Amino acid sequence: MLVKDIEISTKGKNKITYISLTDIAKIKNPADPRFVVINWLRSKETLSFVGLWEILNNPNFNRVEFDTVKNEAGYNAFSISPSQWIKKTNAIGIISTAGRHNSGTFAHPDIAFEFASWVSSEFKLYLILEFQRLKEHEQKQLEWNARREIAKLNYALQTDAIKEHLIVPELKSHQISYVYASEADMLNVALFGQTAAEWKIQNPTLKGNMRDHTTIQHLLVLANMESYNAQMIKDKISAKDRLIKLNEMARQQLKTFSQSKNPLFIENNDNEV
């Protein structure tokens, strides 16, 4: 993530995003930021903070060794590196990595924000804002991906129903493909009012298909339609009647979603078809 024109790298561990203290330290010492981190860590106030964080969050934290380190802090000769801190106390809030790529010292956001405040209170605020923006974007992406996976699962239900009830042994491979395409476009027409080919002609510069550029509401309705269509195929309902029923279902559900006060349905979506 880019904060005040400085690239701050992150590292995932145990489903937590750790923030690079080394990159933050470049504000004070671009040439050798590791000394900035060491100077911060040797402070008794810093050790009290990171030690308390470990006590609250790390059941395997070595509190005996922590007390020893804390008692030594404050003397001129005292110094401790992130790797030494981790080794002595079995700390998890700070991690130290070596290598050519993404190396340096990283910390849990709680600790990284404290370090950023020590380096620059102004930078800390910008860091928090950018980190929050990043996490919100990740959450929205997870929700979007989850709904795409739901649509895929329901599509599998539909294709299985097609195999079992619409595709007879005498059909050739190209005829089977036509049946699948026909069923997919039936849903497209019922929900979007056009086939995939018609949408592509109208949107020649867009990548993907119409389902990649629609709203979350439409994807949820599509997932429901695929399940419903699969059941209607099993019930041997004709394609014409299924199209009518699917369109009625789509219009009713979209109407319901449009009246919902759920933030998921009232937020603006730039991907709308």
Side-chain angles (χ1 to χ4, degrees), residues 68-112:
T68 301
V69 173
K70 186 178 178 181
N71 289 334
E72 294 175 357
Y75 291 102
N76 292 335
F78 173 76
S79 179
I80 186 169
S81 68
S83 58
Q84 289 172 330
W85 164 255
I86 297 167
K87 184 176 181 180
K88 286 177 178 291
T89 65
N90 197 33
I92 61 173
I94 295 176
I95 59 177
S96 183
T97 61
R100 295 180 59 185
H101 303 290
N102 211 19
S103 61
T105 301
F106 294 77
H108 185 283
D110 296 343
I111 299 174

Side-chain angles (χ1 to χ4, degrees), residues 168 211 255 272:
V168 296
R211 301 183 186 192
K255 179 180 178 180
E272 186 172 358

Side-chain angles (χ1 to χ4, degrees), residues 18 73 84 164 179 207 226 254 256 265 272:
Y18 281 66
Q84 289 172 330
E164 183 176 353
V179 173
K207 295 181 179 180
E226 287 173 331
L254 286 173
T256 300
F265 300 137
E272 186 172 358

